[in-house]
Amino acid sequence: MSPNQEPVFSEYETDSSQTSKLLRKFKETPFVPIGMAGFAMVVGYGLYRLKHRGDMKMSLHLIHMRVAAQGFVVGAITCGVLYSMFREYVVKPKE
């Protein structure tokens, strides 16, 4: 790249630390970390309930936990898509 050309991704090159990149991504897409946190909570709850499942079969318990975790993540992704569509088409000022 020649010295008088400005970089194409100048805003991405200024943030060099991983933490600042992660925080910027969380601000751009807020529902991704919510989905990840919900998934972790469902898995944690499932592991806790694994001890007290009673006479329920292990495979049935695992299927229920998988469906709950996937449902939370798909719900968070759907909310994120709706939120971005709302920002893009409703809140965005007309040019």
Side-chain angles (χ1 to χ4, degrees):
M1 185 187 299
S2 68
N4 54 0
Q5 288 181 343
E6 66 181 60
V8 177
F9 299 109
S10 61
E11 66 185 45
Y12 294 107
E13 292 175 0
T14 58
D15 295 335
S16 60
S17 71
Q18 293 295 331
T19 306
S20 61
K21 288 180 184 178
L22 188 64
L23 290 175
R24 187 185 74 238
K25 277 293 192 186
F26 284 171
K27 287 178 185 175
E28 290 173 2
T29 55
F31 287 97
V32 171
I34 292 171
M36 291 168 47
F39 176 78
M41 288 185 341
V42 168
V43 168
Y45 178 72
L47 290 174
Y48 172 75
R49 290 296 300 169
L50 185 64
K51 192 176 197 181
H52 306 288
R53 71 179 189 273
D55 61 350
M56 183 186 293
K57 289 184 178 181
M58 173 72 96
S59 62
L60 187 60
H61 175 75
L62 292 176
I63 289 171
H64 287 166
M65 290 300 106
R66 179 186 61 89
V67 168
Q70 284 179 334
F72 197 93
V73 170
V74 168
I77 291 171
T78 303
C79 289
V81 167
L82 292 174
Y83 175 71
S84 67
M85 286 174 56
F86 177 76
R87 274 193 339 196
E88 181 72 24
Y89 297 111
V90 176
V91 178
K92 184 178 179 182
K94 303 289 182 188
E95 294 181 8

